[in-house]
Amino acid sequence: MAGNDVKVLGAWPSPYVMRPRIALNIKSVAYDILEEQFGSKSELLLKSNPVYKKIPVLIHDGKPISESLIIVQYIDEVWNSGPSILPSDPYDRAIARFWATYIDDKWFPAMRGIAAAQGEDAQKAAMEPVVEGLVLLEDAFKNCSKGKKFFGGNKIGYLDIALGCFLGWMRVTEKMNNIKLLDEAKTPGLYKWAEDFCADSAVKDVMPATDKLAEAAKLILAKIRAQASS
């Protein structure tokens, strides 16, 4: 498949954009990344995703697909050039989708709340649901991985992609707030999983460096605050 048949509209700091990129790497599919700038939306983005007007968008043979987890499922169904991303068993597939929804709807929004916390007490309160969520995900990892390296078994799968795309931002949150979220003592399975995930060939060239992402985070926060005060 030629790269110009597959395009990803996105921005490198976005964890959601990482998802289709990792999935395409797993399937050994060449693609072009079309960078969107934070704070502006290209005409191609507005045309490709007129409902949500958000990245990422996968454009395959001129047809757009939106929403990161839907894109990952699409990639898994369209290309047989690599290992399956979603579990083959219907129950395992349902469980993976359940936890992926939990991560997007509950866990990551809670982690974003840490940045907004003012003062030590507020920060501790903001951290609680994030740490509690990681303990829940540690248990999910034990059940889904069945003693193997990843949620998906021996290879990165759907739930690995759903959670792993946020590891860069978790490290930035830890660095900028001088806290520890992923604790080897409390969540040893996830701690080792995070190392294995970031070292995987499908991920390592897509996962942004913590310092680079932290600089981007400062710029994004400054723009958001400037917009809020204007």
Side-chain angles (χ1 to χ4, degrees), residues 117-178:
Q118 299 291 323
E120 191 175 332
D121 290 343
Q123 188 184 77
K124 281 183 181 177
M127 280 177 62
E128 278 181 20
V130 180
V131 174
E132 286 169 5
L134 287 170
V135 171
L136 287 175
L137 289 164
E138 171 82 2
D139 193 51
F141 175 72
K142 288 176 186 172
N143 293 330
C144 294
S145 67
K146 301 176 176 69
K148 294 175 181 171
K149 280 173 71 172
F150 300 109
F151 284 94
N154 290 320
K155 301 279 187 182
I156 285 176
Y158 181 75
L159 190 46
D160 296 287
I161 295 171
L163 180 60
C165 72
F166 294 121
L167 285 172
W169 281 100
M170 193 190 307
R171 289 168 179 165
V172 167
T173 302
E174 290 177 330
K175 180 185 175 74
M176 293 178 74
N177 297 277
N178 196 28

Side-chain angles (χ1 to χ4, degrees), residues 64-137:
I65 302 100
S66 302
E67 294 296 291
S68 62
L69 291 176
I70 292 172
I71 295 170
V72 170
Q73 293 175 59
Y74 175 85
I75 291 167
D76 194 34
E77 290 169 3
V78 169
W79 284 283
N80 299 315
S81 48
S84 294
I85 294 172
L86 278 149
S88 56
D89 180 79
Y91 177 77
D92 291 343
R93 199 156 58 242
I95 293 301
R97 284 174 170 150
F98 169 84
W99 283 112
T101 300
Y102 165 77
I103 290 161
D104 279 4
D105 288 357
K106 295 284 186 182
W107 182 79
F108 185 60
M111 190 175 78
R112 288 172 65 184
I114 294 172
Q118 299 291 323
E120 191 175 332
D121 290 343
Q123 188 184 77
K124 281 183 181 177
M127 280 177 62
E128 278 181 20
V130 180
V131 174
E132 286 169 5
L134 287 170
V135 171
L136 287 175
L137 289 164

Side-chain angles (χ1 to χ4, degrees), residues 12 36 75 130 164 172 180 185 196:
W12 68 265
E36 290 283 323
I75 291 167
V130 180
V172 167
K180 193 70 178 170
D196 291 334

Side-chain angles (χ1 to χ4, degrees), residues 11-30:
W12 68 265
S14 168
Y16 301 104
V17 174
M18 280 188 65
R19 289 173 170 174
R21 296 187 70 186
I22 293 169
L24 289 166
N25 288 344
I26 288 170
K27 296 290 186 175
S28 301
V29 175

Side-chain angles (χ1 to χ4, degrees), residues 33-76:
I33 179 79
L34 304 180
E35 280 281 337
E36 290 283 323
Q37 297 303 312
F38 178 75
S40 64
K41 299 179 192 290
S42 70
E43 192 176 326
L44 181 58
L45 174 60
L46 296 173
K47 178 185 171 186
S48 302
N49 187 3
V51 176
Y52 291 111
K53 304 178 178 64
K54 286 190 203 173
I55 53 174
V57 177
L58 179 77
I59 301 176
H60 178 212
D61 285 338
K63 296 178 289 188
I65 302 100
S66 302
E67 294 296 291
S68 62
L69 291 176
I70 292 172
I71 295 170
V72 170
Q73 293 175 59
Y74 175 85
I75 291 167
D76 194 34

